[in-house]
Amino acid sequence: DTAVSQTPKYLVTQMGNDKSIKCEQNLGHDTMYWYKQDSKKFLKIMFSYNNKELIINETVPNRFSPKSPDKAHLNLHINSLELGDSAVYFCASSRYSGTGTDTQYFGPGTRLTVL
Amino acid sequence: DAKTTQPTSMDCAEGRAANLPCNHSTISGNEYVYWYRQIHSQGPQYIIHGLKNNETNEMASLIITEDRKSSTLILPHATLRDTAVYYCIARRGGSQGNLIFGKGTKLSVKP
């Protein structure tokens, strides 16, 4: 069983389109994240949700809207896609420990290409 | 969270120990040292973490200096599958949030 899964694995789309990436974890974790890895391989946090509530929202355009229907899912919807949105998007999850020692488990990534 | 500094790349012979250094000279007392790695095209994978004491698990050992300003990740018997980018991250205890990834060290294990 895959612990953190993402769909789709690859997404190719035209500029201006709206697309969604789905993430699911079956680890019983209460915190989920979205990270973006650009072409230079820098990995940066975008959002973090704990128990379906947004706790981190880095400087991300409001075209990006995360949605957490339940603790096991955190989907990423992107409106009006731009060329600069091309990247690999990773979902991750963890169980909040209160001590900062929680381990994050990452999904396999979704490679988004905007043409 | 404290900044960490790692060499850009390292080579290691298959079967030998890989020792990956990390400098975190501004680390504060409640910041843990975490190591993750990213094998090509995959999601990052947790390896190990520690606060003050040396730690060992089935994947690796973590040696933290007494002043906590630097640490070394040791892969005791590197295999070709250990070729990856290794990230050293300082993370505040009690924080509920993201990992701040630097550029990491690209480890190449060669036959």
Side-chain angles (χ1 to χ4, degrees), chain A residues 20-98:
Chain A
S20 292
I21 306 172
K22 294 185 176 181
C23 177
E24 177 181 2
Q25 54 93 5
N26 63 5
L27 297 167
H29 289 165
D30 55 6
T31 306
M32 296 185 72
Y33 312 80
W34 277 107
Y35 288 82
K36 177 182 179 181
Q37 188 166 39
D38 61 25
S39 57
K40 295 183 178 178
K41 303 296 184 183
F42 288 116
L43 197 60
K44 291 185 180 177
I45 185 71
M46 298 175 70
F47 301 102
S48 172
Y49 268 72
N50 176 258
N51 286 319
K52 303 193 324 178
E53 289 189 18
L54 181 67
I55 56 172
I56 289 177
N57 183 353
E58 290 296 309
T59 309
V60 175
N62 56 14
R63 297 182 296 103
F64 289 79
S65 53
K67 289 196 169 43
S68 181
D70 54 57
K71 286 198 296 186
H73 296 84
L74 181 62
N75 303 323
L76 184 64
H77 188 76
I78 315 170
N79 289 328
S80 304
L81 278 155
E82 300 178 357
L83 294 176
D85 298 333
S86 295
V88 182
Y89 292 84
F90 289 101
C91 177
S93 74
S94 69
R95 185 190 309 277
Y96 178 57
S97 67

Side-chain angles (χ1 to χ4, degrees), chain B residues 12 29 33-34 36 44 47 55 64 66-67 71 76 92-93 107 111:
Chain B
C12 178
V33 179
Y34 276 78
Y36 279 75
I47 302 173
E55 303 287 345
I64 303 174
E66 194 167 339
D67 63 9
S71 60
R92 183 171 48 87
L107 175 68

Side-chain angles (χ1 to χ4, degrees), chain B residues 75-89:
Chain B
L75 307 177
H77 306 286
T79 70
L80 299 179
R81 286 177 294 182
D82 292 322
T83 292
V85 178
Y86 287 77
Y87 297 98
C88 170
I89 301 166

Side-chain angles (χ1 to χ4, degrees), chain A residues 31 33 35 37 41-43 45 50 55-56 90 96 98-104 106-108, chain B residues 32 34 36 38 41-44 46 49 87 91-99 101-103:
Chain A
T31 306
Y33 312 80
Y35 288 82
Q37 188 166 39
K41 303 296 184 183
F42 288 116
L43 197 60
I45 185 71
N50 176 258
I55 56 172
I56 289 177
F90 289 101
Y96 178 57
T99 63
T101 58
D102 52 305
T103 298
Q104 293 188 20
F106 285 77
Chain B
Y32 291 77
Y34 276 78
Y36 279 75
Q38 187 174 23
S41 298
Q42 297 181 21
Y46 166 80
H49 75 277
Y87 297 98
R91 187 169 182 223
R92 183 171 48 87
S95 66
Q96 183 183 14
N98 54 298
L99 296 166
F101 289 85
K103 297 180 183 179

Side-chain angles (χ1 to χ4, degrees), chain B residues 46-59:
Chain B
Y46 166 80
I47 302 173
I48 199 167
H49 75 277
L51 184 62
K52 287 190 250 188
N53 300 323
N54 298 336
E55 303 287 345
T56 296
N57 63 19
E58 64 278 3
M59 289 182 71

